[in-house]
Short mmCIF file of all heavy atoms in Angstrom, two decimals:
data_model
loop_
_atom_site.label_atom_id
_atom_site.label_comp_id
_atom_site.label_asym_id
_atom_site.label_seq_id
_atom_site.Cartn_x
_atom_site.Cartn_y
_atom_site.Cartn_z
N ASP A 1 -8.09 49.09 21.39
CA ASP A 1 -9.45 49.53 21.55
C ASP A 1 -9.79 49.94 22.96
O ASP A 1 -10.89 50.48 23.24
CB ASP A 1 -10.42 48.42 21.10
CG ASP A 1 -10.32 48.15 19.61
OD1 ASP A 1 -9.91 49.04 18.87
OD2 ASP A 1 -10.67 47.00 19.19
N SER A 2 -8.91 49.66 23.90
CA SER A 2 -9.17 50.01 25.31
C SER A 2 -9.06 51.50 25.53
O SER A 2 -8.15 52.16 25.02
CB SER A 2 -8.17 49.29 26.22
OG SER A 2 -8.34 49.75 27.55
N PRO A 3 -9.99 52.08 26.29
CA PRO A 3 -9.80 53.50 26.68
C PRO A 3 -8.57 53.64 27.58
O PRO A 3 -8.21 52.69 28.29
CB PRO A 3 -11.08 53.83 27.44
CG PRO A 3 -11.59 52.52 27.93
CD PRO A 3 -11.19 51.53 26.88
N ARG A 4 -7.91 54.78 27.50
CA ARG A 4 -6.73 55.01 28.30
C ARG A 4 -7.07 55.94 29.47
O ARG A 4 -7.84 56.88 29.33
CB ARG A 4 -5.64 55.67 27.47
CG ARG A 4 -5.25 54.90 26.22
CD ARG A 4 -4.54 53.58 26.51
NE ARG A 4 -3.31 53.78 27.27
CZ ARG A 4 -2.50 52.77 27.60
NH1 ARG A 4 -2.82 51.55 27.35
NH2 ARG A 4 -1.38 53.03 28.27
N PHE A 5 -6.47 55.66 30.65
CA PHE A 5 -6.75 56.44 31.84
C PHE A 5 -5.46 56.96 32.46
O PHE A 5 -4.38 56.34 32.31
CB PHE A 5 -7.51 55.59 32.89
CG PHE A 5 -8.94 55.32 32.50
CD1 PHE A 5 -9.27 54.31 31.62
CD2 PHE A 5 -9.98 56.09 33.01
CE1 PHE A 5 -10.58 54.04 31.24
CE2 PHE A 5 -11.28 55.82 32.66
CZ PHE A 5 -11.58 54.80 31.77
N GLN A 6 -5.58 58.07 33.15
CA GLN A 6 -4.48 58.63 33.92
C GLN A 6 -4.76 58.49 35.41
O GLN A 6 -5.92 58.65 35.83
CB GLN A 6 -4.29 60.13 33.60
CG GLN A 6 -3.87 60.44 32.17
CD GLN A 6 -3.85 61.92 31.94
OE1 GLN A 6 -4.84 62.62 32.14
NE2 GLN A 6 -2.71 62.46 31.51
N ILE A 7 -3.76 58.21 36.21
CA ILE A 7 -3.93 58.18 37.66
C ILE A 7 -3.96 59.62 38.14
O ILE A 7 -3.00 60.40 37.97
CB ILE A 7 -2.82 57.39 38.34
CG1 ILE A 7 -2.87 55.91 37.94
CG2 ILE A 7 -2.93 57.53 39.87
CD1 ILE A 7 -1.77 55.09 38.56
N MET A 8 -5.07 59.99 38.83
CA MET A 8 -5.19 61.32 39.40
C MET A 8 -4.73 61.34 40.87
O MET A 8 -4.21 62.33 41.35
CB MET A 8 -6.64 61.80 39.28
CG MET A 8 -7.19 61.81 37.86
SD MET A 8 -6.18 62.84 36.74
CE MET A 8 -6.49 64.47 37.40
N SER A 9 -5.04 60.25 41.59
CA SER A 9 -4.61 60.19 42.99
C SER A 9 -4.52 58.74 43.42
O SER A 9 -5.19 57.87 42.86
CB SER A 9 -5.54 60.97 43.91
OG SER A 9 -6.84 60.37 43.96
N LEU A 10 -3.69 58.51 44.41
CA LEU A 10 -3.48 57.18 44.97
C LEU A 10 -3.45 57.34 46.48
O LEU A 10 -2.64 58.10 47.01
CB LEU A 10 -2.17 56.58 44.45
CG LEU A 10 -1.75 55.20 44.92
CD1 LEU A 10 -2.71 54.15 44.38
CD2 LEU A 10 -0.33 54.89 44.46
N GLU A 11 -4.35 56.63 47.18
CA GLU A 11 -4.53 56.88 48.61
C GLU A 11 -4.64 55.57 49.37
O GLU A 11 -5.37 54.68 48.97
CB GLU A 11 -5.77 57.74 48.82
CG GLU A 11 -6.12 58.07 50.23
CD GLU A 11 -7.40 58.85 50.36
OE1 GLU A 11 -8.02 59.15 49.32
OE2 GLU A 11 -7.77 59.18 51.50
N GLN A 12 -3.94 55.51 50.50
CA GLN A 12 -4.10 54.36 51.41
C GLN A 12 -5.15 54.72 52.44
O GLN A 12 -5.08 55.78 53.10
CB GLN A 12 -2.80 54.03 52.10
CG GLN A 12 -2.90 52.83 53.04
CD GLN A 12 -1.58 52.47 53.67
OE1 GLN A 12 -0.52 52.83 53.16
NE2 GLN A 12 -1.62 51.78 54.83
N ILE A 13 -6.18 53.86 52.60
CA ILE A 13 -7.22 54.07 53.61
C ILE A 13 -7.21 52.81 54.49
O ILE A 13 -7.73 51.76 54.14
CB ILE A 13 -8.61 54.23 52.95
CG1 ILE A 13 -8.59 55.37 51.92
CG2 ILE A 13 -9.65 54.50 54.01
CD1 ILE A 13 -9.90 55.54 51.17
N GLN A 14 -6.53 52.94 55.63
CA GLN A 14 -6.27 51.79 56.48
C GLN A 14 -5.58 50.69 55.65
O GLN A 14 -4.52 50.93 55.10
CB GLN A 14 -7.54 51.30 57.16
CG GLN A 14 -8.07 52.31 58.20
CD GLN A 14 -9.19 51.79 59.05
OE1 GLN A 14 -9.85 50.79 58.72
NE2 GLN A 14 -9.44 52.45 60.15
N ASP A 15 -6.19 49.49 55.59
CA ASP A 15 -5.54 48.41 54.84
C ASP A 15 -5.92 48.36 53.36
O ASP A 15 -5.50 47.48 52.63
CB ASP A 15 -5.92 47.06 55.46
CG ASP A 15 -5.29 46.87 56.85
OD1 ASP A 15 -4.21 47.46 57.08
OD2 ASP A 15 -5.88 46.16 57.67
N ASP A 16 -6.77 49.31 52.95
CA ASP A 16 -7.24 49.37 51.56
C ASP A 16 -6.50 50.46 50.79
O ASP A 16 -5.85 51.32 51.38
CB ASP A 16 -8.74 49.63 51.52
CG ASP A 16 -9.53 48.61 52.32
OD1 ASP A 16 -9.28 47.41 52.13
OD2 ASP A 16 -10.40 49.02 53.13
N VAL A 17 -6.62 50.37 49.49
CA VAL A 17 -6.04 51.37 48.58
C VAL A 17 -7.12 51.92 47.68
O VAL A 17 -7.94 51.16 47.15
CB VAL A 17 -4.88 50.79 47.74
CG1 VAL A 17 -4.40 51.81 46.72
CG2 VAL A 17 -3.75 50.34 48.63
N LYS A 18 -7.15 53.25 47.51
CA LYS A 18 -8.10 53.88 46.58
C LYS A 18 -7.31 54.53 45.47
O LYS A 18 -6.40 55.32 45.73
CB LYS A 18 -8.95 54.92 47.29
CG LYS A 18 -9.89 55.71 46.37
CD LYS A 18 -10.61 56.80 47.12
CE LYS A 18 -11.49 57.62 46.20
NZ LYS A 18 -12.19 58.72 46.91
N VAL A 19 -7.67 54.23 44.24
CA VAL A 19 -7.04 54.82 43.06
C VAL A 19 -8.12 55.55 42.26
O VAL A 19 -9.17 54.98 41.98
CB VAL A 19 -6.34 53.78 42.16
CG1 VAL A 19 -5.54 54.49 41.08
CG2 VAL A 19 -5.43 52.89 42.98
N VAL A 20 -7.87 56.80 41.94
CA VAL A 20 -8.78 57.57 41.10
C VAL A 20 -8.12 57.74 39.74
O VAL A 20 -7.01 58.26 39.63
CB VAL A 20 -9.09 58.96 41.72
CG1 VAL A 20 -9.97 59.76 40.76
CG2 VAL A 20 -9.76 58.79 43.06
N TYR A 21 -8.83 57.27 38.70
CA TYR A 21 -8.35 57.37 37.31
C TYR A 21 -9.28 58.34 36.58
O TYR A 21 -10.46 58.40 36.86
CB TYR A 21 -8.45 56.02 36.61
CG TYR A 21 -7.58 54.91 37.16
CD1 TYR A 21 -8.05 54.04 38.13
CD2 TYR A 21 -6.29 54.70 36.70
CE1 TYR A 21 -7.30 53.01 38.63
CE2 TYR A 21 -5.51 53.66 37.17
CZ TYR A 21 -6.02 52.83 38.14
OH TYR A 21 -5.22 51.79 38.61
N ARG A 22 -8.70 59.02 35.61
CA ARG A 22 -9.50 59.89 34.74
C ARG A 22 -9.21 59.51 33.30
O ARG A 22 -8.05 59.35 32.91
CB ARG A 22 -9.21 61.36 34.97
CG ARG A 22 -10.08 62.31 34.16
CD ARG A 22 -10.03 63.74 34.68
NE ARG A 22 -10.75 63.92 35.92
CZ ARG A 22 -11.05 65.10 36.44
NH1 ARG A 22 -10.70 66.21 35.81
NH2 ARG A 22 -11.71 65.19 37.58
N CYS A 23 -10.28 59.38 32.52
CA CYS A 23 -10.13 58.97 31.12
C CYS A 23 -9.39 60.06 30.31
O CYS A 23 -9.77 61.23 30.37
CB CYS A 23 -11.48 58.68 30.51
SG CYS A 23 -11.40 58.06 28.83
N SER A 24 -8.37 59.66 29.59
CA SER A 24 -7.59 60.64 28.81
C SER A 24 -8.41 61.27 27.70
O SER A 24 -8.05 62.34 27.20
CB SER A 24 -6.36 59.92 28.21
OG SER A 24 -5.58 59.33 29.22
N GLU A 25 -9.51 60.61 27.30
CA GLU A 25 -10.30 61.10 26.20
C GLU A 25 -11.52 61.91 26.63
O GLU A 25 -12.33 62.35 25.79
CB GLU A 25 -10.78 59.91 25.33
CG GLU A 25 -9.63 59.09 24.77
CD GLU A 25 -10.10 57.78 24.21
OE1 GLU A 25 -11.31 57.51 24.24
OE2 GLU A 25 -9.24 56.99 23.74
N SER A 26 -11.71 62.14 27.94
CA SER A 26 -12.86 62.87 28.40
C SER A 26 -12.78 64.31 28.00
O SER A 26 -11.67 64.88 27.90
CB SER A 26 -13.01 62.75 29.95
OG SER A 26 -13.33 61.42 30.30
#
């Protein structure tokens, strides 16, 4: 039942990490 997502980008910002996901069903 969980929505599925794709990773669009993965970015290191100093000591943090930013991940952008997009829903496969959008």
Side-chain angles (χ1 to χ4, degrees):
D1 294 335
S2 173
R4 304 292 299 181
F5 288 82
Q6 295 175 303
I7 295 178
M8 303 302 293
S9 66
L10 180 66
E11 179 182 0
Q12 181 178 339
I13 306 176
Q14 292 189 342
D15 291 331
D16 304 312
V17 174
K18 176 186 178 181
V19 188
V20 176
Y21 297 91
R22 184 165 286 193
C23 184
S24 303
E25 300 167 2
S26 291

